[in-house]
Amino acid sequence: MLSWFNRLPFLASGRPAARKKVFLITAMRNEAPYILEFVAHYQLLGFDALYFATNDSTDDTLFILRSLEAAGCLRVFEHTDSNKPQRHGNRLCLKKIREEHTDFFALNADADEFLVLYKHDDIVDYANSLSAFDVVVVNWKFFGSDGHLTRPKGLVVENYLHHGDAAHQGSRGVKSMAQFPGRVLRVGVHYPLFDDVEAAKACYSDGVAFPAETAGVRPGETGVEPHYDGASIHHYGLKSWDEFLIRRARGRGAGPSHPERHTDAYFSKYDRADVYCPDLKLRAPALRARMRELFAAAKLADRFDETYFGI
């Protein structure tokens, strides 16, 4: 059976063989209500395939992912590593991609991170325009709660429209898109590991050189100035207060050995509304239409109402 991606209009004409494919890698746990929006968003960007790793979910995450996989929409890999589940899941996805492909780009993004392109309509065009680099670093725009105490109706991209300004620490966090083969040994949560960091070439989303020796970059590193001309990652790291409490109870993807991050102080620090940004809200009609296609293809109506996903 043809995969769901091969049936999508934006792939109907094919792509030149010389152009590298682009894959999404994500590790998630207990994200059931947000999965359709996340998948639809990255499908619409033109990713060639989506690879999901998941562990120990106690909600309907695994059921939804398996239903989407059965419809040919994505790939799912289960694991039971609870020590460093996010890292383990990301590497599991990369391993599977490398077993099937040699030349490709891979973007690592979490379930609350939405890539936005500003000068390209298609991720393959964008990635291949920066093929001179081993890794493309994309800055966060960290969105606050917009005053919501409980999860509002509708889509995440419609309900959270304000983020911190460029000087805020949340704008210095990054995610990265790595090119294979090349200098990258493996992907990291924020930044990859290189075989020779001095020889590696990295750039910001706009093609401006990024110091590759900033290996192991973490959100808030002082040297990671935000560059938004090419792309950004909309990071919905808080959402409403009630949703934030659920996230706190879920625990960190880094594992139990890391200190708890999602404290009241963390919420207060990142709950900013400096900049109004409706970029993705404007794309909500197309996103909702794709979500309905996914909902039907995965036969989710047998178990859920559309409103569960915000449709």
Side-chain angles (χ1 to χ4, degrees), residues 247-270:
R247 180 171 185 168
R248 177 189 292 176
R250 184 181 66 210
R252 293 188 61 179
S257 62
H258 289 253
E260 175 55 55
R261 171 186 291 168
H262 302 111
T263 62
D264 290 8
Y266 180 94
F267 189 92
S268 296
K269 180 176 183 178
Y270 287 97

Side-chain angles (χ1 to χ4, degrees), residues 15-256:
R15 291 185 175 120
R19 294 168 66 75
K20 290 191 174 186
K21 291 184 176 182
V22 186
F23 302 117
L24 179 79
I25 291 173
T26 189
M28 66 165 52
R29 176 176 180 268
N30 287 353
E31 297 280 4
Y34 312 106
I35 292 174
L36 283 195
E37 185 173 357
F38 182 81
V39 171
H41 174 79
Y42 281 98
Q43 280 192 353
L44 289 173
L45 284 177
F47 277 78
D48 289 287
L50 314 182
Y51 287 74
F52 284 72
T54 186
N55 69 292
D56 305 323
S57 287
T58 57
D59 65 0
D60 285 309
T61 290
L62 183 58
F63 175 83
I64 295 166
L65 290 177
R66 286 299 187 198
S67 299
L68 289 167
E69 183 179 46
C73 305
L74 47 82
R75 301 283 299 279
V76 183
F77 308 100
E78 293 179 69
H79 68 93
T80 58
D81 187 314
S82 59
N83 183 33
K84 295 182 178 180
Q86 188 176 23
R87 179 181 297 181
H88 183 82
N90 290 336
R91 292 177 181 175
L92 177 60
C93 289
L94 180 60
K95 179 178 182 291
K96 297 297 184 180
I97 296 173
R98 280 175 149 169
E99 290 174 356
E100 301 169 358
H101 304 275
T102 53
D103 297 335
F104 61 91
F105 292 89
L107 172 71
N108 175 18
D110 298 337
D112 56 7
E113 295 174 331
F114 286 54
L115 175 69
V116 181
L117 304 179
Y118 297 116
K119 297 181 179 179
H120 294 78
D121 294 324
D122 182 277
I123 185 61
V124 176
D125 291 339
Y126 174 69
N128 280 274
S129 75
L130 297 171
S131 61
F133 298 94
D134 296 293
V135 62
V136 179
V137 172
V138 185
N139 281 99
W140 275 347
K141 290 182 178 179
F142 202 116
F143 285 73
S145 71
D146 268 43
H148 295 296
L149 297 179
T150 60
R151 181 189 173 194
K153 296 180 180 179
L155 306 181
V156 171
V157 300
E158 294 174 312
N159 293 319
Y160 303 100
L161 302 174
H162 293 83
H163 62 80
D165 60 25
H168 189 256
Q169 187 171 344
S171 302
R172 297 178 183 274
V174 303
K175 299 305 287 267
S176 55
M177 179 173 63
Q179 182 173 191
F180 298 87
R183 295 290 181 183
V184 176
L185 290 176
R186 60 176 182 261
V187 296
V189 174
H190 295 280
Y191 200 64
L193 177 68
F194 296 105
D195 62 357
D196 184 348
V197 70
E198 293 183 358
K201 295 182 179 179
C203 69
Y204 285 101
S205 70
D206 54 5
V208 174
F210 178 87
E213 64 272 14
T214 315
V217 109
R218 296 291 184 271
E221 288 284 333
T222 56
V224 188
E225 297 295 336
H227 285 233
Y228 295 133
D229 287 345
S232 71
I233 292 281
H234 284 201
H235 183 30
Y236 302 100
L238 301 183
K239 301 190 181 80
S240 69
W241 175 247
D242 281 355
E243 290 167 288
F244 180 75
L245 294 180
I246 292 172
R247 180 171 185 168
R248 177 189 292 176
R250 184 181 66 210
R252 293 188 61 179

